[in-house]
Amino acid sequence: MKHVDPNLSFDQQLEQEVRQLRRENEKLRIIRDALIGQVDRNNDLSGRVFRTIEPLIEVEGNVEKRIQRLARAMSEAKIARRQLRQAIDSIGEGFILYDRDDRIVLCNRKYREIFPELEHLLKPGTHFQEIIRHAARIGVIVEAVTDPDAWIASRSSSHSETRCQFQQLLSDGRWIQISERATEDGGKVTIVSDITPFKRLEETSRLTRMAEQSEVLATTLASIAQGVVVFDGARRFVAWNSQAAMLTNLPYVELHEGTTVRELIGLLLARGARIAEERESEFLRWIGQVNKRPPLRLEIFYPGGRTVSANFRAMPNDGFVVTLTDVTTQYQAARMLERSKDELEERVSERTRELVALNAALQDEVRRHEATAADLVRTRRAAEAASMSKTQFLAAASHDLLQPLNAARLYLFALESAAGTQPEAVKLIDNIDHSLQSTERILGTLLDMSKMDSGCYEIKLADVKLGELFDTLRIEFSALAGARGLNLRIVPTTAIIRTDPNLLRRIVQNFLSNAIKYTPSGRILLGTKRAGTSLRIEIHDTGPGIQPVDRQLIFQEFKRATAANSDVTGLGLGLAIAQRAADLLGQRIELKSEVGRGSVFSLVINAWRTQDNSGGTTFEGNMDDKAQLTVSPTSENTLIVLENDETVAHAMTTLFDHWQFASVTGSSYAEIEARCDGALTRPSAIIADYHLNGDIDGIEAIVRLRKRIGSMVPAILVTAETSWAVRQRARQNGIEHFAKPVKPAQLRAYLTHLAIDIEVDQAPSA
């Protein structure tokens, strides 16, 4: 049997196979008939011939059965094909199926109705390119009429895509939507829908909106106060509103479509309108030229004083529009301004003449005042000379008075040392000695004040190490503070300033003496604090505080702000001498106080450095006003705080002071190292930010500090860095990780836990 051609359709394959079977069946019949005739001729009664042809008879029967099955299959296939075609023909869209070679396999009736011009090509086997080229040639598609080749290329490109959808306008005015999708065997299914009703509805809506917009525009033009006149490219009247007729002083009936610009100008001139002569040529030139029309403004003047501003603007298609505005009021106002200007100039000239005369009189008065001022200067100088003489006399008298006082004290000492002195006499001698000491202090203070006021005090500048000065003051005042039950704390510092050592000592000594004198109980703190590029020497106390009304008064001579029930003695000269000393040094004294909480006296120093010559960049100590007033004087816990944000560091140390923890702060590992100055003892804990100044981060700084201390000091990493790598690295080094913003309760709980552990470790064993 011959092979069936696979390129044929299913029906054609069935028909080809049936024809082959029928030809073979016919051959078998011929063979059978020949064999039967042979049997008849030989009259073979033994049955050998029958056995010979029996297989042939069986083959014939099988062939008949197969033919019958094929016939049934063909019948069923024809029925299915007919049903499929009926179903495809019944759908409302055009349908066409192409095979992998872009040849038509199936096309429904609706597709033929949509493209009746192509019906003779819409049959199986027709190629897609043949269809679109014929459609382009006869102009079925509007787009293909102007440029057929471009449309063919565009249609072929979209057809080659796996799926596409687009709309096209047919030459008879209908709109279609084409949707294409590839099949699994490489073919293509095309669905064509007639969307003309939807397009017409859309166009109707668009036109309706345009009509409404045109109506709104017309209403607007009719309602606005400005006149509007529109000319086309031929310079003829096209549109205008009633305000234009009113502003041009023309009857509305004389304005009609088609009127030229020159005709309109003639009507205006006939009504008495005019424009400035120097603008006429510019106006005519603007009207005549088409390619270049910059905005133009003209003023039209009418009899009776009315003025209309005409603004010309170019439009597409060589037309232009003119807007007219009544500017009569503005022109009248401008003319009035001109008249006012002339009148004002006249008044200014008159006033100038008056002022010249007045100036001459004033010059005479000035000369008299200058003579009076000269008299006042002479009087002031005489007063200053008298004051200077008084000050110098006071200085000399104070110095002379000190000599006999000194001799009197020597006599008293000799009398006290003499044998046989009675106890009552010794007591009287002590009282006299105390009185002489007070008198000596008062006279010494008056002597210093007189020297400063008279300008006789010679300032001797030297480099002063504040740490050494603080140590001296510690030795001098520790016993006095202890006698009053006060806790005197002095924060070490490495700051160096260039100043007069005696004046600086006098200022700080007065502050510290007053703090101990006026603080009944609590704590006194002396230290330094950086304020920008300046350094502040601060003395904090937990005394009664100073009322706002007294904060200026206490710096005057013989003025005090002591409470009525206070037993403090003194004349009130200490702060006055401190203020004069600060003025001589060019430094500033500041005071902050809170009644019932304490006071802070500060000396602000502009130029300073540290022992490592780092200039005004190293901050020794970490003092906060509120914290220093409330910290417990018995706290021995110490924390090392590494934080490069000064505000955060200040807030943390304030909080630690409230919790009775002392703290040493630094913005980098190097700064902490310099701050401790080699004397690094074991703190209660180390608290560090991850990001610090310098190349060493918070974790590495903690590791190095532990190594220097020689102990695994508890440590906390307080940081906004929450990455897994940072957490893991902190965990590996035995460091707690607290995320910013840290909760104070969490931090305090941890520090309390550490304090309990330390107490347990230090408790003696039973």
Side-chain angles (χ1 to χ4, degrees), residues 225 241-250 252 255 302 306 308:
N241 61 358
S242 58
Q243 286 80 359
M246 181 186 66
L247 292 173
T248 54
N249 200 23
L250 295 175
Y252 194 77
L255 297 176
Y302 288 90
R306 189 171 67 166
V308 175

Side-chain angles (χ1 to χ4, degrees), residues 224-273:
I224 61 176
Q226 287 78 19
V228 179
V229 182
V230 181
F231 294 88
D232 59 13
R235 297 185 286 279
R236 292 190 301 267
F237 235 166
V238 175
W240 63 96
N241 61 358
S242 58
Q243 286 80 359
M246 181 186 66
L247 292 173
T248 54
N249 200 23
L250 295 175
Y252 194 77
V253 294
E254 293 188 10
L255 297 176
H256 54 82
E257 189 173 352
T259 302
T260 65
V261 174
R262 294 189 178 277
E263 291 174 347
L264 181 61
I265 293 174
L267 292 173
L268 291 175
L269 294 176
R271 294 281 177 174

Side-chain angles (χ1 to χ4, degrees), residues 346-560:
E346 179 61 28
R347 287 199 298 270
V348 167
S349 299
E350 183 179 354
R351 185 60 177 166
T352 301
R353 290 189 294 272
E354 294 175 357
L355 289 175
V356 168
L358 181 60
N359 186 40
L362 287 176
Q363 288 179 354
D364 293 337
E365 186 69 20
V366 167
R367 284 191 291 271
R368 287 194 297 273
H369 285 175
E370 287 176 350
T372 304
D375 294 338
L376 290 175
V377 169
R378 287 191 295 271
T379 304
R380 179 177 60 82
R381 288 175 179 172
E384 290 176 350
S387 177
M388 182 64 66
S389 299
K390 180 195 68 175
T391 302
Q392 292 173 351
F393 170 78
L394 180 60
S398 299
H399 181 270
D400 293 339
L401 285 173
L402 288 176
Q403 299 300 330
L405 285 174
N406 185 48
R409 293 189 64 187
L410 292 175
Y411 284 126
L412 282 174
F413 180 76
L415 181 61
E416 184 179 8
S417 301
T421 305
Q422 299 297 325
E424 294 81 3
V426 171
K427 185 176 181 181
L428 290 174
I429 291 171
D430 290 338
N431 291 335
I432 295 171
D433 183 60
H434 287 312
S435 299
L436 289 175
Q437 289 180 10
S438 299
T439 305
E440 185 178 355
R441 284 196 299 270
I442 294 172
L443 290 176
T445 302
L446 290 174
L447 178 61
D448 290 339
M449 291 178 61
S450 63
K451 287 181 179 180
M452 294 178 187
D453 289 341
S454 63
C456 298
Y457 191 93
E458 182 180 356
I459 298 176
K460 298 179 181 179
L461 297 179
D463 288 339
V464 179
K465 296 182 179 180
L466 292 183
E468 296 179 358
L469 174 61
F470 286 6
D471 291 340
T472 303
L473 294 174
R474 184 201 309 274
I475 296 172
E476 181 178 346
F477 288 96
S478 293
L480 180 61
R484 293 182 60 85
L486 301 175
N487 180 17
L488 174 61
R489 179 189 172 196
I490 298 180
V491 180
T493 179
T494 60
I496 300 174
I497 62 175
R498 187 162 184 80
T499 185
D500 187 301
N502 294 327
L503 291 180
L504 177 64
R505 176 184 173 86
R506 175 64 66 89
I507 296 171
V508 180
Q509 190 176 30
N510 279 329
F511 287 167
L512 198 55
S513 175
N514 284 347
I516 295 174
K517 185 186 302 182
Y518 290 99
T519 302
S521 63
R523 184 182 184 193
I524 308 296
L525 179 64
L526 169 62
T528 60
K529 181 177 181 182
R530 186 178 64 182
T533 59
S534 301
L535 184 71
R536 302 167 66 93
I537 300 176
E538 295 188 349
I539 292 88
H540 296 244
D541 65 61
T542 56
I546 302 171
Q547 296 288 346
V549 295
D550 294 331
R551 292 175 190 173
Q552 296 293 332
L553 180 71
I554 58 177
F555 289 97
Q556 299 177 15
E557 299 87 347
F558 306 105
K559 300 293 183 180
R560 298 171 57 200

Side-chain angles (χ1 to χ4, degrees), residues 89-118:
D89 285 339
S90 64
I91 63 178
E93 286 82 16
F95 176 89
I96 188 168
L97 174 64
Y98 296 93
D99 60 15
R100 68 177 64 184
D101 296 326
D102 263 352
R103 295 188 180 276
I104 295 178
V105 176
L106 184 63
C107 178
N108 70 348
R109 183 184 304 109
K110 185 65 176 179
Y111 196 92
R112 291 186 176 89
E113 291 176 358
I114 294 174
F115 299 106
E117 304 89 344
L118 307 176

